Each structure stands twice: as C-alpha cells, then as structure tokens.
Amino acid sequence: MDDSKFCLCTKEHTEEAEKEYANNSYAKEALYHFVANKGAVISVFVIVIIILLAIIAPILSPYSYKDVQSQFSNLPPRIPGLEQLGVFNGCRDGVNVYAQKSALNQYHFFGTDNLGRDIWTRVWCGTRISLLIAGAAVLIDVFIGVIYGLVSGYFGGKTDIIMQRITEVLSSLPQLVIVTLMLVVMKPGLTNIIIALMITGWINMSRIVRAQVLKYKNQEFVLAARTLGVSNRGIIFKEILPNTLGQIIITFMFSIPNAIFLEAFLAFVGLGVPAPIASLGSMINDGYKSAMTYPYMVMAPVVVLALLMLGFNLFSDGLRDAIDPQMKQT
C-alpha cells in the first residue's frame, strides 16, 4: 500500500448536528413550489387582469351595458392608435362603417351588437356577473360540503350511512338536469341561479372532506385529544379541520371554473340572467347567431371565458402541486 496517498487530517472535526440549516415554514415551501410553476404564476396575472378589467372597465367606459343605439348597430371593433396601423380600424370589407354611420367620433373596442350596445362594456359587466355567481355558489358549496363531510366522516355509523345515501341520490342525477329543472320552475334570475348551482355542487367537497376525516380521526393526536376530554366539536374544528385545509383549498379552487362554465352553459341555453343584464354565456348565445357575418360579437366573450377558465385551472393545478407535491406523482 502506498502511504503517500494518505495524510493525517489536522483540522478540527465538526459534528453534522452543529450545522445550521435554513428553517423554512410550510407556507414558504408552498410559495416556493408555486412560484417555480411558471404556468401557475402567469395564470395569476391573467386572473388579476381580468378581475381588474371587470371592475374598472365599465366605470371608465362612456357607454352603458344596456344603452340601445340602433343607428350604430353592428359596428366592427375600433381602437385608437391601432387604427393607424390598419388593425381594428372600424372597416369591414374595405369600407369604414363608422364613416358610413356618422360615428367617426366613437370608439368601440369590441364593436357593437345588433342593438347598437357596446360589446366592450357588456363583456366586462358580463364577467362581473359570471364571477359573482361562481364565487357565491362556490362559497356556499364549500360551507355546506365541509360541514357535511366533517359530520359524516367523524360520527360514522348510522349517521354516515344516512348522509351518504342522500349524497348518492343527489349525485345519481346529472347536475345539469337538476339545475335546468330548478330554473324552469323558479324562473331565471341572479338569486335563483345561485340557489340552483349550490343544490349539488357541494357533494364533491363533502366526499373529499369525509375521506380526510376518516384518515385522521383514528390517528394519535386525535386519540390524545379525546383522552384529554376534548369535546367532539373541539376535535373536529381544532384537530381534524386544520389538517384538511389543503384539500379544501384545492377543491375550492377547482370548483370555481366548473361553476363559471355551468353558469355560462345555462345562460347559453337561455336560462341565465334576464335581459338587459349580460353574462358571458348570454353574450355567446346572442353572438353565435351572427358569428358568420359578425364574428367579433361572439369572439370577445368566448376569449374572455376561455382565459378565465384556463387561468383558474392552471392556478388550481399549481396550487395543488405546491400544497401537496406528492399528489403530482399519483
């Protein structure tokens, strides 16, 4: 053996336990994983921009969503600045429609519909309605689903059997059928749509929460709390519920695009908010009839709806991977 390859270490030995490591909280780790997902970060900016436009654009617009100006009907999009580049200049088939209708002092970013209403204003007012309906329905669904799942999973036995049979009966019928029948009976309206959407929307949330409760209720920290005399209410809301918040948040976020799509579908088939109030679905319903002649009428609400749903889906997917990275591998 060549002893020249070995030499005596004269440095002081440092125990591994003495090394200091960065102490990152769970929130910081989740934020780091979320920011690493570029698609999720971009989706956040898209959602924020759409929400800001839905709030600000109708306020700043000189037109109202319900003002009918039949003399200015079917005007193509015209945007200041871009018209100098030959894009969105108010021309159709090489003819300046604004000049024909003596409307050179007007600018309609998305054009006007068959009644002369400004599509730009109506799109963002419709986005408000769609977000309001989806948000209200999802919040109510989360409240019902979480409470229902906690009670069913924790108490078990006959309580769980009865509650699960109720959910099976409700889930056996397609949601669209139930909502459509309810709206036919109740007549279309903003409040009635929210009530109809929350009839069955909570079932998926209750099942996920129930599964989490069954997972945690027999673990050591719950048994210890029960041994110390903690009430059932305290165990449910102070011990089990905090451990299920990750799944609740993920399910909540995925429910938003589903609610937006369902509202848009109901509006598309004529069961949405009554005129002159607009939603994205009702605007698509109004615009698709003239899509071949005036494609911009349906293009604007379709693009906004697609961006909104895609943004929420990407955001929910990134949030799921950040909160529970193991779910990405399953």
Side-chain angles (χ1 to χ4, degrees), residues 15 26 39 52 65 113 116 156 163 173 175 196-197 200 227 245 252 256 262 322:
E15 297 293 337
Y26 174 75
L52 289 177
Y65 72 91
D113 61 10
M163 296 179 74
L173 297 174
Q175 186 183 34
L197 288 174
T200 58
T227 303
L245 284 180
F252 167 78
I256 294 177
L262 185 58

Side-chain angles (χ1 to χ4, degrees), residues 76-319:
R78 186 185 182 206
I79 302 176
L82 294 180
E83 64 176 340
Q84 306 299 330
L85 303 175
V87 182
F88 299 116
N89 54 6
C91 295
R92 183 168 55 240
D93 298 329
V95 178
N96 192 325
V97 182
Y98 285 77
Q100 280 187 338
K101 298 191 176 185
S102 302
L104 288 176
N105 61 335
Q106 297 187 22
Y107 288 92
H108 298 277
F109 297 165
F110 290 163
T112 60
D113 61 10
N114 294 326
L115 297 177
R117 297 173 296 190
D118 182 62
I119 298 178
W120 167 266
T121 306
R122 287 179 60 80
V123 162
W124 299 120
C125 287
T127 305
R128 282 183 182 180
I129 298 296
S130 298
L131 289 173
L132 175 63
I133 292 175
V138 169
L139 285 176
I140 297 173
D141 292 346
V142 168
F143 177 78
I144 297 174
V146 170
I147 300 298
Y148 199 94
L150 287 172
V151 173
S152 177
Y154 182 78
F155 291 101
K158 293 183 179 180
T159 302
D160 184 43
I161 293 175
I162 294 173
M163 296 179 74
Q164 290 308 303
R165 297 297 82 77
I166 294 174
T167 59
E168 288 177 2
V169 171
L170 291 175
S171 61
S172 63
L173 297 174
Q175 186 183 34
L176 289 178
V177 174
I178 297 177
V179 173
T180 303
L181 291 176
M182 285 294 299
L183 289 179
V184 169
V185 174
M186 299 169 61
K187 304 301 180 184
L190 186 60
T191 304
N192 295 339
I193 290 176
I194 295 175
I195 295 174
L197 288 174
M198 75 179 189
I199 292 176
T200 58
W202 54 269
I203 293 178
N204 186 45
M205 175 66 77
S206 69
R207 287 175 172 172
I208 291 175
V209 173
R210 175 179 175 270
Q212 294 296 308
V213 173
L214 294 175
K215 174 182 176 182
Y216 290 115
K217 74 173 186 177
N218 292 322
Q219 293 194 6
E220 288 79 2
F221 67 94
V222 176
L223 297 177
R226 190 179 291 116
T227 303
L228 293 174
V230 180
S231 64
N232 290 331
R233 181 178 178 180
I235 293 175
I236 292 174
F237 290 102
K238 294 183 179 180
E239 302 294 339
I240 297 179
L241 181 59
N243 287 281
T244 63
L245 284 180
Q247 294 295 325
I248 292 174
I249 294 173
I250 293 169
T251 307
F252 167 78
M253 294 306 303
F254 273 111
S255 299
I256 294 177
N258 293 334
I260 292 175
F261 175 77
L262 185 58
E263 184 279 328
F265 171 80
L266 293 174
F268 181 75
V269 298
L271 297 175
V273 292
I277 302 175
S279 70
L280 294 177
S282 62
M283 292 194 66
I284 295 173
N285 183 31
D286 295 338
Y288 92 99
K289 302 173 185 177
S290 306
M292 298 301 295
T293 308
Y294 310 111
Y296 58 86
M297 289 188 186
V298 69
M299 188 63 66
V302 165
V303 170
V304 173
L305 179 62
L307 288 175
L308 198 59
M309 292 189 60
L310 182 61
F312 273 112
N313 275 306
L314 290 176
F315 176 69
S316 304
D317 189 64
L319 191 64

Side-chain angles (χ1 to χ4, degrees), residues 18-89:
E18 296 179 1
K19 293 183 179 180
E20 294 183 0
Y21 296 92
N23 184 19
N24 292 331
S25 63
Y26 174 75
K28 289 183 178 179
E29 289 291 336
L31 181 61
Y32 172 78
H33 287 291
F34 182 83
V35 173
N37 189 330
K38 303 304 180 184
V41 174
I42 294 174
S43 69
V44 172
F45 285 103
V46 171
I47 293 171
V48 170
I49 290 172
I50 291 178
I51 293 176
L52 289 177
L53 284 173
I55 296 173
I56 299 174
I59 299 175
L60 299 180
S61 175
Y63 310 103
S64 173
Y65 72 91
K66 59 182 179 180
D67 286 345
V68 176
Q69 296 179 318
S70 56
Q71 69 273 24
F72 300 132
S73 62
N74 303 326
L75 290 176
R78 186 185 182 206
I79 302 176
L82 294 180
E83 64 176 340
Q84 306 299 330
L85 303 175
V87 182
F88 299 116
N89 54 6

